[in-house]
Amino acid sequence: MALKAGIVGLPNVGKSTLFNAITKKNILAANYPFATIDPNVGVVTVPDTRLEFLNNMYIPEKMIPTTYEFTDIAGLVKGASHGEGLGNKFLSHIRETDAIVEVVRCFDNPDIIHVEGSTDPIRDIEIINLELIFSDMEIVENRINKIEKKAQTTKEKDVVKEYDILKRCLESLNNNIPLRRLEFDEDELLILKNFNFITLKPIIYVANVSEDDVVVGHNDYTDKVSKYAEEEGSEVVIMSCAMESELVELSDDDKKIFLQDMGITNSGLDKLIFATYHLLGLKTFFTVGKDEVRAWTFKDGMKAPECAGIIHTDFQRGFIKAEVTSFDDLRNLGSESKVKEAGKLRLEGKEYLMQDGDIVLFRFNV
């Protein structure tokens, strides 16, 4: 499953600079609003030292990491949901993503114009979030208008339930509360899934700071963003988008030396990927062999047949068993044969809940 995230933010907050770093491409990043006219999509590989270890062990013909797809959405402005700036066209692109990455300016620089005239990250967050709320509100109101009469006169449980959930959503949105702050059961989420509500998607705030503040780890602006995110159960990644765009020009060895010299363990981009995985409850399993070593992304709570289906629908349809080895066992014992000798190779059935780091061979018959 390819993870998709939409990058949003006001103009000139560092959004396109971040996207440049993500894709290693020179996407237009100009010092004025609406520099990005069409959404750009970039795919990056998810860093995983376990995959590198397996690649060195099996020496396959190819190594395939799991990927992360970013869509760069043109800078939103106040009134976007009503057609201001580039309007609703770009809000529609966000609906197709799994998560929202909202870039927030947390630095002062008189040479970079702020569309609102000053640096105020909470004001900026609320401008963006309000536009997303308005966009969802329009969809809710349109649907309620279509089913309201039927819901009030019929005994069809599905219609009544949908109407009740949408009324609850509308009340929340009218109070400027994103839908992700509400609690829904599985049946309700199944109904809401059809609408692709933007404010129901998990969100990560990228606090874009100066290079100096990356070393310190925070500033007064990021402290405010962290408090705001904590209240709604979201996450914050503090990074310097400008520094990330420079890092991608370095070799892997030079990049490691640069980060070590600054006292930083992981780059901001790596932290962003890890944070998104955590927020979405994503994990990784591996398939190995002489042909290829490959990482696959799955959602926490998925059973073995569902994960087999990620590789191919026939694997799920004809699932028999899964031969499972823990990555830690393979690393600690050093070889497949020693894993078998130690009794660590397991045969798992249809009810097995896949674990992060599982190395799997699926047995199937169709």
Side-chain angles (χ1 to χ4, degrees):
M1 52 172 36
L3 174 63
K4 296 181 180 180
I7 306 176
V8 301
L10 292 176
N12 301 338
V13 297
K15 189 170 54 61
S16 290
T17 305
L18 173 61
F19 187 74
N20 291 350
I22 286 168
T23 60
K24 299 185 182 180
K25 295 176 183 176
N26 187 26
I27 303 302
L28 181 61
N31 187 24
Y32 55 86
F34 319 128
T36 313
I37 303 302
D38 292 314
N40 297 285
V41 177
V43 178
V44 295
T45 58
V46 176
D48 196 324
T49 55
R50 297 172 299 182
L51 187 65
E52 295 171 13
F53 178 91
L54 293 171
N55 188 61
N56 291 332
M57 174 178 281
Y58 287 90
I59 315 176
E61 291 182 15
K62 56 184 175 180
M63 178 182 76
I64 306 175
T66 188
T67 57
Y68 190 159
E69 185 176 295
F70 287 93
T71 301
D72 182 30
I73 311 296
L76 296 175
V77 293
K78 194 181 292 182
S81 58
H82 301 297
E84 291 295 322
L86 294 170
N88 263 324
K89 175 184 174 184
F90 295 93
L91 291 172
S92 68
H93 295 303
I94 308 173
R95 296 194 185 281
E96 308 307 315
T97 63
D98 300 304
I100 298 170
V101 174
E102 184 169 331
V103 184
V104 186
R105 178 167 166 169
C106 292
F107 65 89
D108 292 313
N109 187 333
D111 295 329
I112 301 177
I113 303 162
H114 192 294
V115 72
E116 291 295 319
S118 62
T119 304
D120 184 342
I122 303 305
R123 176 205 60 207
D124 294 356
I125 287 172
E126 291 181 342
I127 287 173
I128 294 290
N129 287 356
L130 198 57
E131 295 307 319
L132 304 185
I133 283 171
F134 286 152
S135 183
D136 278 353
M137 194 183 297
E138 183 180 353
I139 290 174
V140 173
E141 288 174 339
N142 288 341
R143 182 59 180 168
I144 285 176
N145 289 337
K146 285 184 179 179
I147 67 170
E148 186 167 29
K149 188 173 181 181
K150 188 175 183 181
Q152 292 173 345
T153 59
T154 188
K155 292 183 179 179
E156 291 183 36
K157 291 182 180 179
D158 290 346
V159 177
V160 173
K161 187 167 187 178
E162 180 184 349
Y163 177 74
D164 289 341
I165 294 169
L166 290 176
K167 289 289 284 185
R168 185 178 159 209
C169 289
L170 185 59
E171 182 182 0
S172 174
L173 296 170
N174 275 328
N175 288 311
N176 295 338
I177 299 171
L179 299 182
R180 62 180 165 271
R181 294 196 180 190
L182 303 184
E183 290 186 10
F184 299 103
D185 62 33
E186 286 186 18
D187 290 339
E188 290 171 333
L189 287 173
L190 206 57
I191 293 170
L192 295 177
K193 186 179 181 180
N194 298 322
F195 298 101
N196 258 344
F197 288 129
I198 299 174
T199 65
L200 192 55
K201 297 181 187 297
I203 191 166
I204 289 179
Y205 297 103
V206 168
N208 185 17
V209 300
S210 67
E211 190 171 310
D212 290 340
D213 285 336
V214 168
V215 178
V216 175
H218 71 101
N219 60 30
D220 290 343
Y221 295 135
T222 64
D223 290 344
K224 292 176 182 178
V225 174
S226 295
K227 183 179 178 183
Y228 184 95
E230 185 180 354
E231 289 173 355
E232 67 170 17
S234 299
E235 299 209 12
V236 177
V237 174
I238 298 171
M239 72 164 78
S240 166
C241 296
M243 188 179 86
E244 294 298 324
S245 66
E246 295 171 4
L247 278 175
V248 296
E249 302 299 330
L250 302 177
S251 67
D252 288 343
D253 289 339
D254 288 345
K255 178 179 170 182
K256 286 178 183 177
I257 293 169
F258 181 86
L259 292 174
Q260 286 172 358
D261 288 345
M262 295 190 71
I264 301 170
T265 307
N266 290 310
S267 72
L269 291 181
D270 288 351
K271 290 177 183 176
L272 176 58
I273 292 171
F274 299 148
T276 310
Y277 263 59
H278 177 259
L279 191 66
L280 293 174
L282 299 178
K283 296 185 175 181
T284 304
F285 73 87
F286 304 96
T287 52
V288 297
K290 290 298 180 184
D291 292 335
E292 71 172 33
V293 166
R294 184 164 182 169
W296 304 85
T297 301
F298 69 101
K299 285 198 173 183
D300 192 20
M302 288 179 73
K303 295 179 180 179
E306 294 176 280
C307 288
I310 293 172
I311 299 175
H312 198 287
T313 52
D314 283 350
F315 285 23
Q316 182 171 2
R317 189 159 53 91
F319 179 87
I320 300 172
K321 290 284 182 183
E323 293 184 11
V324 183
T325 302
S326 161
F327 171 80
D328 288 339
D329 287 337
L330 181 62
R331 179 179 56 189
N332 294 337
L333 294 170
S335 70
E336 283 186 6
S337 59
K338 288 183 179 178
V339 167
K340 290 176 183 177
E341 288 170 13
K344 296 291 186 180
L345 175 65
R346 311 187 311 273
L347 275 180
E348 302 288 358
K350 292 182 178 180
E351 296 303 310
Y352 175 66
L353 289 173
M354 292 284 286
Q355 302 297 311
D356 186 54
D358 278 348
I359 302 167
V360 193
L361 174 63
F362 292 109
R363 299 294 184 188
F364 71 101
N365 184 32
V366 290

